[in-house]
Amino acid sequence: MNIRYATAGLFVLVTASISQSEEYTLSLDLTFDTKYVFRGAQLADNVFHPSIEFGKDDFYAGIWASQPIENRGLPESWDDEVDFYVGQGWAIDEKTSVDFGAAYYYFPTGDSRLEPYLGVTREILGVVASFYLYRDLDIDATTSEGSARYSVPLGAKTSVDLGAHLGLLNVDDIGKYLYYGADVIFPVHLKENAVLSIGVHYSDSEEGSPTPEAHFHGSTSLTMRF
């Protein structure tokens, strides 16, 4: 599943490592990020992202939010956002899975949007590679995004997780642009059911697009399973 971030794949890997074949899982994630960048566009800075996700077998559902801490007024006017998502995965074999779901993006001060998605993920020589298609039904936009993740163990309780993504966003009758980025995340297992992660991120989009600025930002998150 890959909803709001290119780093969502890393979040799945972390939560999977602390979830051991139970009837269901409930994961809480509390993240602070110096920027909120979505598909190459900055939507906030110094932002708090709380989220909670329920999972049972290959079914999952969750709520994710963006709450800017500053610059909520002019000129930036960063706004709150709450995303509701639900999906179902299917294992094709031991290294390949398919994922289908939908996300509802709710903006208290703007228009809300519905976006179904379909993705496939495969592990190749330790690299977790994914390709997803998204279709925003309200703004008539199609997004295709590929990503890759690789984890290097650094000890019994920590690792360095490397990620990269490349996507194309195409809005019908308006235009399209490429976006891309990379992530380096250091998760530390505090307990069996708690992981603290520190990350650095880079996001950019092709020159001449509506969002040509490059973005460097850092994040800190605490993930807990109940």
Side-chain angles (χ1 to χ4, degrees), residues 135 140-144 168-177:
R135 177 63 181 178
D140 296 326
T142 300
T143 301
S144 54
L168 175 67
L169 191 154
N170 187 358
V171 182
D172 295 356
D173 302 323
I174 295 180
K176 57 187 177 181
Y177 70 91

Side-chain angles (χ1 to χ4, degrees), residues 136-198:
D136 192 313
L137 302 180
D138 293 284
I139 64 173
D140 296 326
T142 300
T143 301
S144 54
E145 180 177 302
S147 64
R149 301 285 177 267
Y150 185 72
S151 181
V152 181
L154 298 179
K157 294 185 177 182
T158 187
S159 63
V160 53
D161 296 339
L162 309 174
H165 66 275
L166 171 67
L168 175 67
L169 191 154
N170 187 358
V171 182
D172 295 356
D173 302 323
I174 295 180
K176 57 187 177 181
Y177 70 91
L178 286 168
Y179 62 91
Y180 45 90
D183 312 282
V184 180
I185 297 180
F186 299 89
V188 179
H189 291 254
L190 303 178
K191 295 182 178 180
E192 181 181 353
N193 63 339
V195 177
L196 176 68
S197 300
I198 299 175

